[in-house]
Amino acid sequence: MVFTATAPAAQPTFHRDITPILAAKCQTCHRPGEAAPMSFLTYTQTRPWAKAIREAVATNRMPPWHADNTVTHYSNDLSLTPAQRSLILAWVDAGAPEGNPAEAPKPKVFTDGWRISKPDAIFTLPESFPVPAKGTVEYQYFTVPTNFKEDRWVEMAEVRPSAREVVHHAIVSVRDESGFFGGQFLAGYAPGAAPQIWKPGVARLIPAGAQLIFQMHYTASGKSATDRTQVGLVFAKHPPRERAVALRAINSWFVIPPGAPSHKVEAAAQISEPLKLAAIRPHMHLRGKAFEVTARFPNGSSRSVLKVPRYDFHWQPYYYLETPLELPAGSRLECTAWFDNSPNNPRNPDATESVRWGEQSWEEMMIGWFDVLLPVHEPLRSATRR
Ligand code: HEC
């Protein structure tokens, strides 16, 4: 008979202490079919990774979260609390013990194949697109009719490539029957992106008869692949109080000199009507180094709303403000981006080039994407401002 000493209360175990953390902060990605290459759903799956988990958590590489949390609170914050972090480290240091399965919480329920709840509607590219192993692929556009007979309010939206390794980004826009503006942004995918999930009472409008336009940017990965991206939509169960609309601040007229280690580029969106700022997503390419957003109010005061001190092209989530920020008419959302075009940037495709705006990863972009909230039937008048 084998006697094991009763573990001291301080020694964390997988089932009692670690499973709740994995469910809250890791399993959205670390389960079958999602972005991470290994699952952390069970002890058997997780145990072989214990040392790697310690390393990734100790160096803050995992969970991926790049915003400075002292600026404000974000509702989709993935980062570990100091207590969760020390529990994980102590668990690995204790030899990653399993503990008693009876002490495990009920497993978290996920939707198979999605990070949103089970979609009410799924729209798929009309055909699979073959991405060659090498070379540059122009942007591809696909139009998919919704056949909606009435207006639909969407409270969750998720764009899912079938071949993530070749999708640089996907943007799904809504074109109403008038063809107005070529489309209102609905949802997007970029590496490390999270689905769009609004709070109850907030939704995006898809008007009756609208079409969905998929803008697909494929990049060759060295292996040929075929992709058939989908978008899944969850409809609001009740009429929303507020409408989420996308707004952008763009600067497309910059030139980053060769070798510049910290080249600054600015852009702003001018707010023309009272609205609320709900979410922010910085977008730059491989030379992107840092990104900040400040809200400037008409009375001259200002408030920082996002700081991403170490931007990473491979992680481009929306940062959802825990409490949406009221912006009176006359406010501005000011974005500052820094680019590293020096040879010290290991991702830099070429430090000897002057770099301008362009669609491909070796060119650059500077966009602050916002989601703003408006009364349900107001059109958006605010716009990007030089
Ligand atoms: C938003 C998605 C996402 C979340 C949340 C996430 N991971 Fe990951 N993780 C990934 C992806 C994608 C990879 C593989 C690519 C990479 O390493 O960047 C990965 C890789 C890893 C690896 C492999 C070694 C390494 O460092 O690359 C470990 C260990 C790991 N994650 C641990 C965790 C732990 C522990 C958590 C939660 C505390 C977590 N991850 C949360 C997406 C995620």
Side-chain angles (χ1 to χ4, degrees):
M1 190 188 283
V2 178
F3 287 93
T4 39
T6 317
Q11 179 175 295
T13 68
F14 181 81
H15 292 298
R16 189 187 57 214
D17 305 291
I18 303 303
T19 318
I21 307 176
L22 297 179
K25 303 283 173 77
C26 317
Q27 291 171 353
T28 37
C29 302
H30 287 272
R31 64 187 163 102
E34 298 305 318
M38 67 296 258
S39 278
F40 295 153
L41 294 180
T42 65
Y43 182 70
T44 322
Q45 289 166 348
T46 312
R47 178 66 188 86
W49 291 95
K51 283 243 155 58
I53 289 173
R54 190 191 198 292
E55 164 77 15
V57 166
T59 55
N60 287 324
R61 200 166 64 248
M62 287 285 150
W65 184 255
H66 296 84
D68 174 349
N69 284 343
T70 62
V71 169
T72 187
H73 294 291
Y74 304 97
S75 58
N76 59 329
D77 189 351
L78 283 173
S79 60
L80 296 172
T81 65
Q84 291 175 325
R85 199 161 174 274
S86 357
L87 264 177
I88 292 184
L89 302 184
W91 173 67
V92 179
D93 292 342
E98 174 168 11
N100 180 358
E103 288 178 329
K106 274 239 280 296
K108 188 165 168 187
V109 180
F110 294 99
T111 316
D112 247 358
W114 298 92
R115 287 169 68 179
I116 54 175
S117 322
K118 190 168 175 308
D120 296 308
I122 298 173
F123 295 97
T124 305
L125 291 189
E127 67 229 40
S128 294
F129 183 79
V131 183
K134 285 201 191 84
T136 305
V137 187
E138 298 292 313
Y139 278 25
Q140 302 291 315
Y141 292 88
F142 301 90
T143 303
V144 180
T146 58
N147 298 320
F148 289 161
K149 301 279 182 290
E150 56 206 39
D151 290 358
R152 294 291 187 149
W153 289 97
V154 172
E155 66 181 18
M156 294 185 203
E158 180 177 357
V159 180
R160 288 187 72 102
S162 69
R164 280 194 197 94
E165 61 287 1
V166 292
V167 179
H168 168 286
H169 78 238
I171 291 180
V172 181
S173 313
V174 178
R175 183 156 72 197
D176 66 21
E177 282 176 311
S178 67
F180 173 70
F181 255 147
Q184 238 302 318
F185 176 82
L186 173 66
Y189 168 86
Q196 308 245 296
I197 301 177
W198 292 284
K199 296 213 168 111
V202 174
R204 264 216 231 288
L205 175 64
I206 302 185
Q211 296 176 321
L212 301 184
I213 314 291
F214 286 68
Q215 179 201 71
M216 300 298 308
H217 182 185
Y218 292 111
T219 38
S221 71
K223 272 213 300 232
S224 57
T226 54
D227 174 69
R228 200 158 178 199
T229 288
Q230 298 189 311
V231 62
L233 307 176
V234 175
F235 299 138
K237 306 291 171 288
H238 305 285
R241 279 177 284 104
E242 289 171 306
R243 171 177 175 206
V245 180
L247 172 68
R248 294 184 299 182
I250 289 196
N251 182 331
S252 57
W253 45 88
F254 55 82
V255 183
I256 309 169
S262 204
H263 184 77
K264 188 164 139 183
V265 178
E266 292 173 313
Q270 183 73 34
I271 304 303
S272 316
E273 65 252 278
L275 48 72
K276 288 186 210 157
L277 173 65
I280 310 171
R281 183 169 82 90
H283 179 64
M284 302 178 278
H285 292 168
L286 298 168
R287 293 174 176 89
K289 179 179 185 177
F291 200 98
E292 293 187 6
V293 183
T294 301
R296 192 166 303 280
F297 303 102
N299 68 8
S301 67
S302 65
R303 204 189 123 174
S304 175
V305 285
L306 180 71
K307 282 188 185 162
V308 176
R310 274 178 301 281
Y311 175 82
D312 184 336
F313 177 74
H314 295 287
W315 298 106
Q316 301 185 37
Y318 266 92
Y319 296 97
Y320 286 87
L321 305 191
E322 181 76 58
T323 314
L325 178 67
E326 307 237 6
L327 296 175
S331 305
R332 279 163 73 86
L333 290 169
E334 299 177 345
C335 303
T336 310
W338 288 266
F339 293 92
D340 183 353
N341 194 17
S342 77
N344 294 331
N345 173 2
R347 299 226 165 99
N348 193 346
D350 187 351
T352 65
E353 284 285 328
S354 287
V355 184
R356 293 180 165 78
W357 177 274
E359 290 174 350
Q360 302 297 338
S361 300
W362 61 86
E363 303 167 310
E364 270 304 335
M365 283 199 181
M366 193 291 187
I367 307 179
W369 283 95
F370 304 108
D371 255 352
V372 295
L373 308 184
L374 290 171
V376 170
H377 291 294
E378 293 289 323
L380 178 72
R381 285 180 287 123
S382 303
T384 191
R385 202 27 94 74
R386 189 164 182 165

